């Protein structure tokens, strides 16, 4: 019994969901439009503003598809109505970020600045030199680009320098101490 797959999704006002032939779902909302094709095994239905996903049998493969399909539909509806945002902090002396056109430039202690191209469907803002806001309607693309930015210089546990998410806790380690010779 899938707990996630059996949950019903309430479609908020201002969001329109259309199911085309072959389980192609289009979600239109105030933030934009997303389209995704799902497995023909799943039965996606809309009744009175509530979206449900049903599976035809109890095989392991269809159980896995059931929960995944429902979760993807929920994130599509959430993205089109509210959108997704990831906020990153650049921590370190001399570390900074800048936005020039469609590229994010990171100066994070390397001999050269690192430039990253902003993908289609993602909006990046840099309110100050140490903050990067990544926003968009597709949760996967927003999360992937934020992870790519973080991967340039992951936070290190000794000095705490690097690029981290705002809500991320970096466990700090104690460094080496000079021992007194006897």
């Amino acid at each position: 019994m899938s707990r996630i797959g059996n949950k019903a999704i309430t479609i908020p006002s201002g969001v329109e969901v259309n199911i085309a032939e072959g389980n192609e779902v289009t979600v239109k909302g105030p933030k934009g439009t997303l389209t995704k094709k799902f497995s023909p095994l799943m039965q996606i239905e809309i009744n009175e503003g509530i979206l449900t996903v049903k599976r035809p049998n109890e095989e392991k493969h269809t159980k896995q598809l059931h929960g995944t399909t429902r979760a993807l539909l929920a994130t599509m509806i959430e993205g089109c109505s509210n959108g997704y945002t990831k906020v990153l902090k650049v921590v370190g002396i001399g570390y900074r970020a800048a936005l020039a056109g469609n590229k994010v430039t990171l100066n994070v202690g390397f001999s050269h600045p690192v430039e990253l191209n902003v993908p289609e469907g993602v909006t990046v803002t840099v309110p100050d030199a140490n903050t990067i806001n990544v926003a968009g309607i597709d949760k996967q693309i927003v999360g992937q680009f934020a992870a790519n930015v973080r991967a340039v210089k992951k936070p290190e546990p000794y000095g705490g320098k690097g690029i981290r998410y705002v809500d991320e806790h970096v466990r700090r380690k104690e460094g080496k101490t000079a021992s007194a010779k006897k």
Side-chain angles (χ1 to χ4, degrees):
M1 178 124 170
S2 174
R3 295 180 200 179
I4 301 291
N6 288 332
K7 278 182 161 181
I9 304 168
T10 305
I11 300 171
S13 62
V15 176
E16 184 182 319
V17 179
N18 294 321
I19 303 168
E21 191 68 33
N23 270 1
E24 186 170 311
V25 179
T26 303
V27 180
K28 291 181 186 174
K31 296 278 185 177
T33 304
L34 288 174
T35 303
K36 188 163 182 67
K37 187 170 175 63
F38 292 99
S39 171
L41 293 174
M42 294 298 116
Q43 299 165 0
I44 303 168
E45 300 169 351
I46 301 172
N47 290 328
E48 299 164 6
I50 295 177
L51 187 106
T52 55
V53 180
K54 294 180 180 165
R55 65 175 181 249
N57 54 39
E58 295 295 316
E59 291 179 15
K60 184 177 182 181
H61 178 67
T62 54
K63 285 182 177 181
Q64 293 168 341
L65 276 176
H66 189 210
T68 303
T69 302
R70 190 259 176 215
L72 290 172
L73 284 167
T75 58
M76 285 172 66
I77 291 170
E78 176 71 22
C80 287
S81 61
N82 300 328
Y84 291 100
T85 304
K86 293 271 189 184
V87 182
L88 297 124
K89 284 282 184 193
V90 181
V91 179
I93 296 174
Y95 287 16
R96 62 188 177 274
L99 181 67
N102 202 25
K103 289 188 178 190
V104 177
T105 305
L106 302 168
N107 293 319
V108 286
F110 298 127
S111 62
H112 59 284
V114 178
E115 290 185 347
L116 296 171
N117 290 323
V118 178
E120 198 67 34
V122 173
T123 307
V124 176
T125 56
V126 182
D128 60 65
N130 296 328
T131 307
I132 303 168
N133 294 329
V134 182
I137 62 171
D138 193 339
K139 185 176 187 178
Q140 194 272 328
I141 295 174
V142 169
Q144 186 63 54
F145 184 70
N148 291 346
V149 171
R150 183 182 179 275
V152 170
K153 188 80 167 186
K154 291 183 181 172
E156 53 101 6
Y158 295 102
K161 300 189 297 186
I163 302 171
R164 65 178 80 170
Y165 298 110
V166 166
D167 55 356
E168 180 180 7
H169 174 71
V170 177
R171 236 176 73 195
R172 298 292 302 270
K173 293 182 179 178
E174 187 176 329
K176 293 181 181 178
T177 56
S179 60
K181 292 188 176 184
K182 295 181 182 181

